[in-house]
Amino acid sequence: MITALAAAPAAPGFLSPTGVEIVFALVGIVTLGAAVVTVTTRQLVHAALWLIVALGGLAVEYLLLTAEFIAWVQVLIYVGSVVVLLLFGLMLTRAPIGRSPDADSENRWPALAVAVASAGTLVWVVVDAFRTTWIELDGPARGSTEVTGAFLFRNWVLPFEALSVLLLAALVGAIVLSRKGGRADATPTREDKR
């Protein structure tokens, strides 16, 4: 009996991290850094590119949590659609590419206070909501494609489609804003011909 106990592998302790947990922490630090650079940079295009890094880091975190469906939705919708739409909006509205003095409103300390208060409130709400929640490990994983897809398309079809209409409306709005004038401005009037 003693030899059987000695031969059994020791279970990892509570504070001994696995490789996945170390990668999760490192990707989380990179994602947090990219998010901070996104909101502190004065160049709009650089902010959009750092937003891609932050949203991509979130997708990697979802993959590490074995929620592959949510990870690919994050990549396709947020990185693939929202950020590309933001970049198209910047290009079509002729936003400044370099440093933009208009991007600095001199309200950094109030913005920091609001951000810290919002983060504290969000952490408190999430911890309070999930304090007594237990996850059953039997059956399919909760973040798997099968379970999440069935739940999404059974209960959340209308908001999912409303989001696609909203993205389309934003793209059309960016194109309309980028035009110099309508067709009436493009055709010369009688006074212009003389």
Side-chain angles (χ1 to χ4, degrees), residues 107-177:
N107 291 325
R108 291 183 182 178
W109 294 111
L112 181 63
V114 169
V116 169
S118 300
T121 304
L122 180 64
V123 167
W124 178 73
V125 166
V126 169
V127 167
D128 187 52
F130 295 106
R131 181 179 306 149
T132 59
T133 302
W134 296 94
I135 298 174
E136 294 293 331
L137 297 179
D138 297 334
R142 296 222 175 186
S144 69
T145 306
E146 179 184 355
V147 173
T148 307
F151 182 75
L152 177 68
F153 291 111
R154 185 175 299 131
N155 302 325
W156 297 97
V157 172
L158 187 61
F160 191 75
E161 292 301 320
L163 178 65
S164 65
V165 171
L166 179 67
L167 291 173
L168 179 64
L171 180 62
V172 170
I175 291 171
V176 168
L177 287 175

Coordinates of all heavy atoms in Angstrom, one line a residue, residues 107-177:
N107 N -8.6 65.8 -20.3 CA -9.5 65.3 -19.2 C -9.0 63.9 -18.7 O -9.8 63.0 -18.5 CB -10.9 65.2 -19.6 CG -11.5 66.5 -19.8 OD1 -11.2 67.5 -19.1 ND2 -12.4 66.6 -20.8
R108 N -7.7 63.8 -18.6 CA -7.1 62.4 -18.3 C -7.5 62.0 -16.9 O -7.8 60.8 -16.6 CB -5.6 62.4 -18.5 CG -5.3 62.5 -20.0 CD -3.8 62.4 -20.2 NE -3.6 62.6 -21.7 CZ -2.5 62.6 -22.2 NH1 -1.4 62.5 -21.5 NH2 -2.3 62.8 -23.5
W109 N -7.4 62.9 -15.9 CA -7.6 62.5 -14.5 C -9.1 62.1 -14.3 O -9.3 61.1 -13.6 CB -7.1 63.5 -13.6 CG -5.6 63.6 -13.6 CD1 -4.8 64.7 -14.1 CD2 -4.6 62.6 -13.2 NE1 -3.5 64.4 -14.1 CE2 -3.3 63.1 -13.5 CE3 -4.7 61.4 -12.7 CZ2 -2.2 62.4 -13.3 CZ3 -3.6 60.6 -12.4 CH2 -2.3 61.2 -12.7
P110 N -10.0 63.0 -14.7 CA -11.4 62.5 -14.6 C -11.7 61.2 -15.3 O -12.4 60.3 -14.8 CB -12.2 63.7 -15.1 CG -11.4 64.8 -15.1 CD -10.0 64.3 -15.2
A111 N -11.1 61.0 -16.5 CA -11.3 59.8 -17.3 C -10.7 58.6 -16.5 O -11.3 57.5 -16.5 CB -10.7 59.9 -18.7
L112 N -9.6 58.8 -15.9 CA -9.0 57.7 -15.1 C -9.8 57.4 -13.9 O -10.0 56.2 -13.6 CB -7.6 58.1 -14.7 CG -6.8 57.1 -13.8 CD1 -6.5 55.8 -14.7 CD2 -5.5 57.7 -13.3
A113 N -10.4 58.4 -13.2 CA -11.3 58.1 -12.1 C -12.5 57.4 -12.5 O -12.9 56.4 -11.8 CB -11.6 59.5 -11.4
V114 N -13.1 57.8 -13.6 CA -14.3 57.0 -14.1 C -13.9 55.6 -14.5 O -14.7 54.7 -14.3 CB -14.9 57.8 -15.3 CG1 -16.0 57.0 -16.0 CG2 -15.5 59.1 -14.8
A115 N -12.8 55.4 -15.2 CA -12.3 54.1 -15.6 C -12.1 53.2 -14.4 O -12.5 52.0 -14.3 CB -11.1 54.2 -16.4
V116 N -11.5 53.7 -13.3 CA -11.2 52.9 -12.1 C -12.5 52.6 -11.4 O -12.8 51.4 -11.0 CB -10.2 53.6 -11.2 CG1 -10.2 53.0 -9.8 CG2 -8.8 53.7 -11.8
A117 N -13.4 53.6 -11.3 CA -14.7 53.3 -10.7 C -15.5 52.3 -11.5 O -16.2 51.4 -10.9 CB -15.5 54.6 -10.5
S118 N -15.5 52.4 -12.8 CA -16.2 51.4 -13.6 C -15.7 50.0 -13.5 O -16.4 49.0 -13.4 CB -16.2 51.9 -15.1 OG -16.8 53.1 -15.3
A119 N -14.3 49.9 -13.5 CA -13.7 48.6 -13.4 C -14.0 48.0 -12.0 O -14.3 46.8 -11.9 CB -12.2 48.7 -13.6
G120 N -14.0 48.8 -10.9 CA -14.3 48.3 -9.6 C -15.7 47.8 -9.5 O -16.0 46.8 -8.9
T121 N -16.6 48.6 -10.1 CA -18.0 48.2 -10.1 C -18.2 46.9 -10.9 O -19.0 46.0 -10.4 CB -18.9 49.3 -10.7 OG1 -18.7 50.5 -10.0 CG2 -20.4 49.0 -10.7
L122 N -17.6 46.8 -12.0 CA -17.7 45.6 -12.8 C -17.2 44.4 -12.1 O -17.8 43.3 -12.1 CB -17.0 45.8 -14.2 CG -17.1 44.6 -15.2 CD1 -18.5 44.3 -15.6 CD2 -16.2 44.9 -16.4
V123 N -16.0 44.5 -11.5 CA -15.4 43.4 -10.7 C -16.4 43.0 -9.6 O -16.6 41.8 -9.3 CB -14.0 43.7 -10.2 CG1 -13.6 42.7 -9.2 CG2 -13.1 43.8 -11.4
W124 N -16.9 44.0 -8.9 CA -17.8 43.7 -7.8 C -19.1 43.0 -8.2 O -19.5 42.0 -7.6 CB -18.2 45.0 -7.0 CG -19.1 44.7 -5.9 CD1 -18.9 44.2 -4.7 CD2 -20.5 45.0 -5.9 NE1 -20.0 44.1 -4.0 CE2 -21.1 44.6 -4.7 CE3 -21.4 45.6 -6.9 CZ2 -22.4 44.8 -4.4 CZ3 -22.7 45.8 -6.6 CH2 -23.2 45.4 -5.3
V125 N -19.7 43.4 -9.3 CA -20.9 42.8 -9.9 C -20.6 41.3 -10.3 O -21.4 40.4 -10.0 CB -21.5 43.6 -11.0 CG1 -22.5 42.9 -11.8 CG2 -22.0 44.9 -10.5
V126 N -19.5 41.1 -11.0 CA -19.2 39.8 -11.5 C -18.9 38.8 -10.3 O -19.4 37.7 -10.3 CB -18.0 39.8 -12.5 CG1 -17.5 38.4 -12.8 CG2 -18.4 40.5 -13.8
V127 N -18.1 39.3 -9.4 CA -17.8 38.4 -8.2 C -19.0 38.1 -7.4 O -19.3 37.0 -7.0 CB -16.7 39.1 -7.3 CG1 -16.6 38.4 -6.0 CG2 -15.4 39.1 -8.0
D128 N -19.9 39.1 -7.2 CA -21.1 38.9 -6.5 C -22.1 38.0 -7.2 O -22.8 37.2 -6.6 CB -21.8 40.3 -6.2 CG -23.0 40.1 -5.3 OD1 -22.9 39.5 -4.2 OD2 -24.1 40.6 -5.7
A129 N -22.1 38.1 -8.5 CA -23.1 37.3 -9.3 C -22.6 35.8 -9.4 O -23.5 34.9 -9.4 CB -23.2 37.8 -10.7
F130 N -21.3 35.6 -9.4 CA -20.8 34.2 -9.6 C -20.2 33.6 -8.4 O -19.5 32.6 -8.5 CB -19.9 34.2 -10.8 CG -20.5 34.5 -12.1 CD1 -20.3 35.7 -12.7 CD2 -21.4 33.6 -12.7 CE1 -20.9 36.0 -13.9 CE2 -22.0 33.9 -13.9 CZ -21.7 35.1 -14.5
R131 N -20.5 34.2 -7.2 CA -19.8 33.7 -6.0 C -20.2 32.3 -5.7 O -19.4 31.4 -5.3 CB -20.2 34.6 -4.8 CG -19.5 34.2 -3.5 CD -19.8 35.1 -2.4 NE -19.5 36.5 -2.8 CZ -20.2 37.5 -2.3 NH1 -21.2 37.4 -1.5 NH2 -19.8 38.8 -2.7
T132 N -21.5 31.9 -5.8 CA -21.9 30.6 -5.5 C -22.2 29.7 -6.7 O -22.9 28.7 -6.6 CB -23.2 30.7 -4.7 OG1 -24.2 31.4 -5.4 CG2 -22.9 31.4 -3.4
T133 N -21.7 30.1 -7.9 CA -21.9 29.3 -9.1 C -20.9 28.2 -9.2 O -19.7 28.4 -9.1 CB -21.8 30.2 -10.3 OG1 -22.8 31.3 -10.2 CG2 -22.1 29.4 -11.6
W134 N -21.4 27.0 -9.5 CA -20.5 25.9 -9.7 C -20.6 25.4 -11.1 O -21.7 25.3 -11.6 CB -20.9 24.7 -8.7 CG -20.6 25.1 -7.3 CD1 -21.6 25.6 -6.4 CD2 -19.4 25.1 -6.6 NE1 -21.0 25.9 -5.2 CE2 -19.6 25.6 -5.3 CE3 -18.1 24.6 -6.9 CZ2 -18.7 25.6 -4.3 CZ3 -17.1 24.7 -5.9 CH2 -17.4 25.2 -4.7
I135 N -19.5 25.0 -11.7 CA -19.6 24.6 -13.1 C -19.5 23.0 -13.1 O -18.6 22.5 -12.5 CB -18.4 25.2 -13.9 CG1 -18.5 26.7 -13.9 CG2 -18.3 24.6 -15.3 CD1 -17.3 27.3 -14.5
E136 N -20.4 22.4 -13.7 CA -20.4 21.0 -13.9 C -19.5 20.6 -15.0 O -19.6 21.1 -16.1 CB -21.8 20.4 -14.2 CG -22.8 20.6 -13.1 CD -22.5 19.8 -11.9 OE1 -21.9 18.7 -12.1 OE2 -22.9 20.2 -10.8
L137 N -18.5 19.7 -14.7 CA -17.5 19.3 -15.7 C -17.9 18.1 -16.5 O -17.2 17.7 -17.4 CB -16.2 19.1 -15.0 CG -15.6 20.3 -14.3 CD1 -14.3 19.9 -13.6 CD2 -15.4 21.4 -15.3
D138 N -19.1 17.5 -16.1 CA -19.6 16.3 -16.9 C -20.3 16.9 -18.1 O -21.0 17.9 -18.1 CB -20.5 15.5 -16.1 CG -19.7 14.9 -14.9 OD1 -18.5 14.7 -15.0 OD2 -20.4 14.6 -13.9
G139 N -20.3 16.1 -19.2 CA -21.0 16.5 -20.4 C -20.2 17.4 -21.3 O -19.0 17.7 -21.0
P140 N -20.8 18.0 -22.4 CA -20.0 18.9 -23.2 C -19.6 20.2 -22.5 O -20.3 20.6 -21.7 CB -21.0 19.1 -24.4 CG -22.4 18.9 -23.8 CD -22.2 17.9 -22.8
A141 N -18.5 20.7 -22.9 CA -18.0 21.9 -22.3 C -19.0 23.1 -22.6 O -19.6 23.1 -23.7 CB -16.6 22.2 -22.8
R142 N -19.1 24.0 -21.7 CA -20.1 25.1 -21.9 C -19.7 26.0 -23.0 O -20.5 26.6 -23.6 CB -20.2 25.8 -20.6 CG -20.8 25.0 -19.5 CD -21.8 25.7 -18.7 NE -22.4 24.9 -17.7 CZ -23.4 25.2 -17.0 NH1 -23.8 26.4 -17.1 NH2 -23.9 24.4 -16.2
G143 N -18.4 26.1 -23.2 CA -18.0 27.0 -24.3 C -17.8 26.4 -25.6 O -17.2 26.9 -26.5
S144 N -18.2 25.1 -25.7 CA -18.0 24.4 -27.0 C -18.9 24.9 -28.1 O -19.9 25.6 -27.8 CB -18.3 22.9 -26.8 OG -19.6 22.7 -26.6
T145 N -18.5 24.6 -29.3 CA -19.3 25.1 -30.4 C -20.7 24.6 -30.5 O -21.7 25.4 -30.7 CB -18.6 24.7 -31.7 OG1 -17.2 25.2 -31.7 CG2 -19.3 25.3 -33.0
E146 N -20.9 23.4 -30.1 CA -22.3 22.8 -30.2 C -23.2 23.4 -29.2 O -24.3 23.9 -29.5 CB -22.1 21.3 -29.8 CG -23.5 20.6 -29.8 CD -23.3 19.1 -29.4 OE1 -22.2 18.6 -29.3 OE2 -24.4 18.5 -29.3
V147 N -22.8 23.6 -27.9 CA -23.6 24.1 -26.9 C -23.9 25.6 -27.1 O -25.0 26.1 -27.1 CB -23.0 23.9 -25.5 CG1 -23.8 24.6 -24.4 CG2 -22.9 22.4 -25.2
T148 N -22.8 26.4 -27.4 CA -22.9 27.8 -27.6 C -23.7 28.1 -28.8 O -24.6 29.0 -28.8 CB -21.6 28.5 -27.7 OG1 -20.8 28.1 -26.5 CG2 -21.7 30.0 -27.7
G149 N -23.5 27.4 -29.9 CA -24.2 27.7 -31.2 C -25.7 27.4 -31.0 O -26.6 28.1 -31.4
A150 N -26.1 26.3 -30.3 CA -27.5 26.0 -30.1 C -28.1 27.0 -29.2 O -29.2 27.5 -29.5 CB -27.6 24.6 -29.4
F151 N -27.4 27.5 -28.2 CA -28.0 28.5 -27.3 C -28.1 29.8 -28.0 O -29.1 30.5 -27.9 CB -27.1 28.7 -26.1 CG -27.6 29.7 -25.1 CD1 -28.7 29.3 -24.3 CD2 -27.0 30.9 -25.0 CE1 -29.2 30.3 -23.3 CE2 -27.5 31.8 -24.1 CZ -28.6 31.5 -23.3
L152 N -27.1 30.2 -28.8 CA -27.2 31.5 -29.5 C -28.3 31.5 -30.5 O -29.0 32.5 -30.6 CB -25.8 31.7 -30.2 CG -25.7 33.0 -31.0 CD1 -25.7 34.2 -30.1 CD2 -24.4 33.0 -31.8
F153 N -28.4 30.5 -31.4 CA -29.4 30.5 -32.4 C -30.8 30.1 -32.0 O -31.7 30.2 -32.7 CB -28.9 29.7 -33.6 CG -27.8 30.4 -34.3 CD1 -26.5 29.8 -34.3 CD2 -27.9 31.6 -35.0 CE1 -25.4 30.4 -34.9 CE2 -26.9 32.2 -35.6 CZ -25.6 31.6 -35.5
R154 N -30.9 29.6 -30.8 CA -32.2 29.3 -30.2 C -32.8 30.5 -29.4 O -34.0 30.9 -29.5 CB -32.1 28.1 -29.3 CG -33.5 27.7 -28.8 CD -33.4 26.4 -28.0 NE -32.9 25.3 -28.8 CZ -31.9 24.5 -28.4 NH1 -31.3 24.7 -27.3 NH2 -31.5 23.5 -29.2
N155 N -31.9 31.2 -28.7 CA -32.4 32.3 -27.8 C -32.0 33.7 -28.2 O -32.7 34.6 -27.8 CB -31.9 32.0 -26.4 CG -32.3 30.7 -25.8 OD1 -33.4 30.2 -26.1 ND2 -31.5 30.1 -25.1
W156 N -31.0 33.9 -29.0 CA -30.5 35.2 -29.3 C -30.4 35.5 -30.8 O -29.5 36.2 -31.3 CB -29.1 35.4 -28.7 CG -29.1 35.3 -27.2 CD1 -28.9 34.2 -26.5 CD2 -29.5 36.3 -26.3 NE1 -29.0 34.4 -25.2 CE2 -29.4 35.8 -25.0 CE3 -29.8 37.6 -26.5 CZ2 -29.6 36.5 -23.9 CZ3 -30.1 38.4 -25.3 CH2 -30.0 37.8 -24.1
V157 N -31.3 35.0 -31.6 CA -31.3 35.2 -33.1 C -31.5 36.7 -33.4 O -30.8 37.3 -34.2 CB -32.3 34.3 -33.8 CG1 -32.4 34.6 -35.2 CG2 -31.9 32.9 -33.6
L158 N -32.5 37.3 -32.8 CA -32.9 38.7 -33.1 C -31.8 39.7 -32.8 O -31.4 40.5 -33.6 CB -34.2 39.0 -32.4 CG -34.8 40.4 -32.8 CD1 -35.1 40.4 -34.2 CD2 -36.0 40.7 -31.9
P159 N -31.2 39.6 -31.6 CA -30.0 40.5 -31.3 C -28.9 40.3 -32.3 O -28.2 41.2 -32.7 CB -29.6 40.3 -29.9 CG -30.8 39.7 -29.3 CD -31.5 38.9 -30.3
F160 N -28.6 39.0 -32.6 CA -27.5 38.7 -33.6 C -27.8 39.3 -34.9 O -26.9 39.9 -35.5 CB -27.4 37.2 -33.7 CG -26.2 36.7 -34.4 CD1 -25.0 36.7 -33.7 CD2 -26.3 36.2 -35.6 CE1 -23.9 36.2 -34.4 CE2 -25.2 35.7 -36.3 CZ -23.9 35.8 -35.6
E161 N -29.0 39.3 -35.4 CA -29.3 39.9 -36.7 C -29.3 41.4 -36.6 O -29.0 42.1 -37.6 CB -30.6 39.3 -37.2 CG -30.6 37.9 -37.6 CD -29.6 37.6 -38.7 OE1 -29.4 38.4 -39.7 OE2 -28.9 36.6 -38.6
A162 N -29.8 41.9 -35.5 CA -29.8 43.4 -35.3 C -28.4 43.9 -35.3 O -28.2 45.0 -35.8 CB -30.5 43.7 -34.0
L163 N -27.4 43.2 -34.8 CA -26.1 43.6 -34.8 C -25.5 43.7 -36.3 O -24.8 44.6 -36.6 CB -25.2 42.7 -34.0 CG -23.7 43.0 -34.0 CD1 -23.4 44.3 -33.3 CD2 -22.9 41.9 -33.3
S164 N -25.9 42.7 -37.1 CA -25.5 42.8 -38.5 C -26.1 43.9 -39.2 O -25.4 44.6 -40.0 CB -25.8 41.4 -39.2 OG -27.2 41.3 -39.3
V165 N -27.3 44.3 -38.9 CA -28.0 45.5 -39.6 C -27.3 46.7 -39.1 O -27.0 47.7 -39.9 CB -29.5 45.5 -39.3 CG1 -30.1 46.8 -39.7 CG2 -30.1 44.3 -40.0
L166 N -26.9 46.8 -37.8 CA -26.2 47.9 -37.3 C -24.9 48.1 -37.9 O -24.5 49.3 -38.3 CB -26.1 47.8 -35.7 CG -25.3 48.9 -35.0 CD1 -26.2 50.2 -35.0 CD2 -25.0 48.5 -33.6
L167 N -24.1 47.1 -38.1 CA -22.8 47.2 -38.8 C -23.0 47.6 -40.2 O -22.2 48.5 -40.7 CB -22.1 45.8 -38.7 CG -21.6 45.4 -37.4 CD1 -21.0 44.0 -37.4 CD2 -20.6 46.3 -36.8
L168 N -24.0 47.1 -40.9 CA -24.2 47.6 -42.3 C -24.6 49.1 -42.3 O -24.1 49.8 -43.2 CB -25.3 46.7 -42.9 CG -25.7 47.1 -44.3 CD1 -24.5 46.8 -45.3 CD2 -26.9 46.3 -44.8
A169 N -25.4 49.5 -41.4 CA -25.8 50.9 -41.3 C -24.6 51.8 -41.1 O -24.5 52.9 -41.6 CB -26.9 51.1 -40.3
A170 N -23.7 51.4 -40.2 CA -22.5 52.1 -39.9 C -21.6 52.2 -41.2 O -21.0 53.3 -41.4 CB -21.7 51.5 -38.8
L171 N -21.5 51.2 -41.9 CA -20.7 51.2 -43.2 C -21.3 52.2 -44.2 O -20.6 53.0 -44.8 CB -20.6 49.8 -43.8 CG -19.8 49.7 -45.0 CD1 -18.3 50.1 -44.8 CD2 -19.8 48.3 -45.6
V172 N -22.6 52.1 -44.4 CA -23.3 53.0 -45.3 C -23.2 54.4 -44.8 O -22.9 55.3 -45.6 CB -24.8 52.6 -45.5 CG1 -25.6 53.6 -46.2 CG2 -24.9 51.2 -46.2
G173 N -23.3 54.7 -43.5 CA -23.1 56.0 -43.0 C -21.7 56.6 -43.2 O -21.5 57.7 -43.6
A174 N -20.7 55.7 -43.1 CA -19.3 56.2 -43.3 C -19.1 56.5 -44.8 O -18.5 57.5 -45.1 CB -18.3 55.1 -42.9
I175 N -19.7 55.8 -45.7 CA -19.6 56.1 -47.1 C -20.3 57.4 -47.5 O -19.8 58.2 -48.2 CB -20.2 54.9 -48.0 CG1 -19.2 53.7 -47.8 CG2 -20.3 55.3 -49.4 CD1 -19.8 52.4 -48.4
V176 N -21.5 57.6 -46.9 CA -22.3 58.8 -47.1 C -21.5 60.0 -46.6 O -21.4 61.1 -47.3 CB -23.7 58.7 -46.5 CG1 -24.4 60.1 -46.5 CG2 -24.5 57.7 -47.2
L177 N -20.9 59.9 -45.4 CA -20.1 61.0 -44.9 C -18.9 61.3 -45.7 O -18.4 62.5 -45.7 CB -19.7 60.7 -43.4 CG -20.8 60.8 -42.4 CD1 -20.3 60.3 -41.0 CD2 -21.4 62.2 -42.3

